[in-house]
Amino acid sequence: ALMNPAIKIVSLTLTEGGYFLNDATGSFDPTHPTIVEELANLNAPKTVFGLIVQALKIRRYAGMPPFTVLSCDNIPHNGDVAKGAVIGLAKLWDEELASWIDANVGFPNSMVDRITPMTGDAERQFVKEELGYEDGAPVFCEPYKQWILEDNFPSGRPALERVGVQFVADVKPYELMKIRILNGAHAALCYAAALLELKHVHDAMDHPVISAFLDCVQRNEVIPSIPPVPDTDLYDYWELIQARFGNPMIADSIDRICFDGASRQPKFIIPPVAENLRDGRSIDGLALVSAMWCRYCQGRAESGRKFEPNDPTWDKLHETALKAADDPTVWLNMTGIYGDVGQKAIFVKSFSAALESIIEDGVELAMLKYVKKRRPESISEERVEPLSDTILQDIQNQLTLNTPAYDRNQLTAGIIHIGVGNFHRAHQASYLDDLIGLADSYSNEWAILGAGIMPFDAAKREILEKQDWLTTLVERQADYVSARLIGSMIDFIPVEPPNHDPLKAALMNPAIKIVSLTLTEGGYFLNDATGSFDETNSVIVEELANPDSPRTVFGLIVQALRRRRDDGVGPFTVMSCDNIPHNGDVAKGAV
């Protein structure tokens, strides 16, 4: 099959262990026993990479074009890792072949994301009972999926951008975002959840202290360590992750997330600690996360229930964790995990205090102390009511919180805003809240309908819907804190890709006079050299090929304006609220 000329791509999902990496260097290990055995029998390869190298060699000498090797494993720089394994093995076999592979074979990096738990009897039974047939290997997963690919396919590729795959020049910023925020959040919540004997990730997100701790650590210590990511608001991405983690239908197990902490901590927790120490930011929350892992490795839940071994090196970790109860530095001396971070005085002090607090006070109180220190009014030991219209009257009795001084039921929408991020709600929505608060009938016609076309817009809509589209806006500076509720948004148009029919319908409403935008600069499809609209952008080319089925914001706007003209409906104003020079001219150029 690998010799079939029709095969243009060989894709891989092997897990990290299948790449034969050296634990110390993270690079291909030519001394691995399996590789040594492979080299002794090169004409009868038994590994995936041996078969790939052999196939590429035969295709080369047969005058056939090579295939692209596409790693789909959830590991950083997966294309580079696959390339290292293929070329590393080829060099040991034939230096000239290795050079040819290096020059002619594509190894695109990719970022893959979809929470997909293990399949068990319950899932097979569900298919049998609910769908009426037997499937021995059904797959259950969350609705969300993301695939970001480096466009490096010398032998051709399918047009996956037509179904939502993003092709970019550099995957690394997206990789780092996912590793720090998603994988790091898993690592931050799992050991607390295990110690409190919670079964699933959604149970942890429902726990008032764990969820508040997780949010606080992400916002204060993790997100500040991540460089900007193109076309992405990191705080919006974090809200999307929270919504995904809270999905009870996935039932992602805490045991799965806890597994192999000795491998996960150096990837997801220690790097942001190192950067925060370097840049003078807080590390107390991340130190507490690492201390919770240590406490977990002591082998018992807070109730006293014994944990089953859940790490390839469990015996060593368990022994070290028990010793760390008396001397926390013993744990930090595992240099294969902590490197020199474990010897930094600030981290040693914070970790030691955290572990002592967990052992003496319990994990829940240790987390609560951190949250109250970072956000003094954010959480109490008792649950509070979620924000909604139904509790507005009670809130209005709190003199420290300014609430809408108007009847939101009397508002009608005159504005659709696409891109409901934090800046929009702090800026445009607050101005309109002020205007409507002047209490004249004219102002009531300028309420906002939120809108968006991206998966994180759907997650934001889900969050805001639960609180009747209200936003808490907290204004802070050194000498005071002021809080208010913003009520100028009265609905959020359902996000239904790829056709976006609800947004199309809303754009035809004659009452809509303004369509405002917060897209970030990348959303305007600008040419890097000229700064003008780039009609050769691959997304725009795809849009032009399907003008009656637009999938971009500007395609939807142009279609709506055309239809409004044909129907004799006046146009709307397109108002860019992005923080870019000449934003109106930029939006005009795109439309």
Side-chain angles (χ1 to χ4, degrees):
L2 290 171
M3 293 305 298
N4 183 345
I7 299 300
K8 306 293 195 300
I9 298 171
V10 174
S11 56
L12 311 173
T13 308
L14 306 177
T15 75
E16 188 169 355
Y19 289 86
F20 306 106
L21 302 179
N22 182 292
D23 290 336
T25 66
S27 302
F28 175 71
D29 184 3
T31 67
H32 190 286
T34 304
I35 297 301
V36 172
E37 182 180 350
E38 190 83 317
L39 289 170
N41 301 277
L42 286 175
N43 293 320
K46 296 182 179 179
T47 68
V48 167
F49 294 108
L51 291 164
I52 287 174
V53 170
Q54 182 189 62
L56 288 171
K57 181 177 183 178
I58 295 173
R59 286 173 77 120
R60 178 194 179 202
Y61 286 110
M64 295 170 56
F67 44 70
T68 293
V69 179
L70 172 64
S71 172
C72 300
D73 277 291
N74 188 24
I75 55 178
H77 320 309
N78 51 13
D80 296 339
V81 170
K83 183 176 183 177
V86 172
I87 292 181
L89 183 58
K91 279 184 178 179
L92 299 172
W93 188 358
D94 181 338
E95 283 277 359
E96 186 179 349
L97 173 64
S99 298
W100 179 84
I101 292 173
D102 190 20
N104 293 278
V105 178
F107 295 89
N109 287 299
S110 69
M111 189 270 269
V112 296
D113 187 10
R114 195 172 207 183
I115 297 173
T116 309
M118 299 287 288
T119 298
D121 291 340
E123 287 73 26
R124 285 184 280 270
Q125 190 65 23
F126 177 92
V127 172
K128 183 177 180 180
E129 292 180 356
E130 299 296 328
L131 302 181
Y133 58 86
E134 292 190 2
D135 185 335
V139 178
F140 282 61
C141 61
E142 63 174 334
Y144 178 87
K145 60 183 177 182
Q146 186 178 35
W147 196 4
I148 298 178
L149 274 167
E150 187 177 66
D151 204 351
N152 177 21
F153 293 80
S155 300
R157 62 167 176 81
L160 291 168
E161 64 269 24
R162 297 180 64 184
V163 291
V165 176
Q166 292 174 255
F167 286 91
V168 299
D170 185 6
V171 173
K172 292 181 177 63
Y174 301 91
E175 275 184 343
L176 184 63
M177 172 183 73
K178 176 180 177 283
I179 287 169
R180 294 275 172 95
I181 296 180
L182 187 149
N183 299 114
H186 267 157
L189 70 80
C190 64
Y191 300 112
L195 291 166
L196 297 173
E197 297 183 82
L198 303 178
K199 298 296 184 184
H200 300 106
V201 171
H202 69 264
D203 296 324
M205 296 306 292
D206 283 340
H207 191 284
V209 178
I210 293 178
S211 59
F213 169 75
L214 185 62
D215 186 59
C216 201
V217 171
Q218 286 288 330
R219 293 179 184 276
N220 285 289
E221 300 184 19
V222 176
I223 292 176
S225 75
I226 304 171
V229 179
D231 306 330
T232 304
D233 182 310
L234 294 175
Y235 293 95
D236 284 348
Y237 180 76
W238 166 231
E239 290 186 7
L240 168 65
I241 299 303
Q242 291 180 89
R244 293 169 62 194
F245 282 8
N247 183 355
M249 301 307 295
I250 296 302
D252 200 7
S253 75
I254 293 297
D255 285 346
R256 182 185 81 85
I257 307 301
C258 286
F259 177 74
D260 199 11
S263 174
R264 293 171 184 260
Q265 290 273 318
K267 293 188 182 82
F268 309 144
I269 303 300
I270 307 308
V273 171
E275 291 176 22
N276 287 358
L277 287 170
R278 180 196 66 198
D279 297 336
R281 292 187 295 266
S282 170
I283 48 84
D284 290 343
L286 292 168
L288 179 53
V289 167
S290 210
M292 288 190 285
W293 175 47
C294 176
R295 170 64 183 81
Y296 170 84
C297 290
Q298 290 177 354
R300 292 188 183 275
E302 295 207 329
S303 69
R305 182 181 67 85
K306 187 176 180 180
F307 293 135
E308 293 298 320
N310 197 21
D311 194 286
T313 57
W314 178 261
D315 290 342
K316 176 185 175 183
L317 291 171
H318 180 55
E319 179 184 359
T320 307
L322 292 174
K323 293 178 180 178
D326 296 319
D327 181 6
T329 62
V330 172
W331 185 259
L332 299 180
N333 286 336
M334 293 189 293
T335 55
I337 294 169
Y338 289 97
D340 62 355
V341 167
Q343 309 306 309
K344 301 290 186 182
I346 294 175
F347 185 66
V348 172
K349 181 179 178 181
S350 185
F351 174 88
S352 300
L355 184 60
E356 180 181 353
S357 179
I358 294 168
I359 293 171
E360 292 186 0
D361 304 323
V363 66
E364 189 169 346
L365 187 55
M367 289 188 292
L368 190 59
K369 287 179 179 178
Y370 172 80
V371 173
K372 286 190 170 183
K373 180 180 177 182
R374 288 288 168 185
R375 297 190 313 201
E377 304 301 327
S378 64
I379 187 169
S380 65
E381 286 77 359
E382 298 181 0
R383 280 190 177 274
V384 296
E385 290 292 322
L387 177 61
S388 70
D389 275 332
T390 59
I391 66 165
L392 263 183
Q393 185 60 50
D394 292 336
I395 294 175
Q396 285 166 347
N397 294 328
Q398 299 180 28
L399 298 180
T400 57
L401 182 66
N402 296 314
T403 58
Y406 50 85
D407 184 356
R408 297 179 75 227
N409 293 318
Q410 300 302 311
L411 304 183
T412 57
I415 300 172
I416 291 175
H417 183 80
I418 301 175
V420 184
N422 286 354
F423 180 76
H424 163 71
R425 292 185 290 151
H427 193 262
Q428 181 187 352
S430 70
Y431 273 110
L432 287 163
D433 187 74
D434 291 338
L435 176 66
I436 297 168
L438 297 178
D440 58 71
S441 58
Y442 171 78
S443 302
N444 287 352
E445 300 173 3
W446 294 105
I448 300 168
L449 294 180
I453 64 171
M454 302 297 290
F456 54 74
D457 293 315
K460 177 64 66 63
R461 183 185 188 277
E462 181 179 350
I463 293 169
L464 292 175
E465 183 179 24
K466 294 175 182 177
Q467 54 199 52
D468 296 322
W469 323 113
L470 291 163
T471 286
T472 304
L473 183 64
V474 180
E475 300 170 347
R476 294 192 296 182
Q477 61 182 40
D479 56 353
Y480 85 98
V481 175
S482 174
R484 61 185 284 196
L485 287 181
I486 304 296
S488 52
M489 180 184 293
I490 58 172
D491 205 345
F492 196 128
I493 300 164
V495 181
E496 293 185 6
N499 295 323
H500 306 292
D501 289 334
L503 178 54
K504 289 178 182 177
L507 289 169
M508 293 303 298
N509 183 347
I512 298 301
K513 304 295 193 296
I514 297 173
V515 174
S516 55
L517 312 173
T518 310
L519 307 178
T520 76
E521 186 171 349
Y524 290 86
F525 305 104
L526 303 180
N527 182 291
D528 291 336
T530 67
S532 302
F533 176 70
D534 184 4
E535 61 187 29
T536 67
N537 184 286
S538 60
V539 177
I540 298 302
V541 171
E542 172 67 20
E543 192 85 318
L544 291 172
N546 300 276
D548 294 323
S549 300
R551 298 184 180 184
T552 69
V553 169
F554 293 108
L556 291 163
I557 288 174
V558 169
Q559 183 189 67
L561 289 170
R562 186 179 71 241
R563 290 178 175 176
R564 286 173 75 118
R565 183 195 66 179
D566 293 344
D567 292 349
V569 179
F572 43 70
T573 296
V574 179
M575 179 172 71
S576 171
C577 299
D578 279 289
N579 188 23
I580 55 178
H582 317 302
N583 51 12
D585 295 338
V586 170
K588 183 177 182 179
V591 173

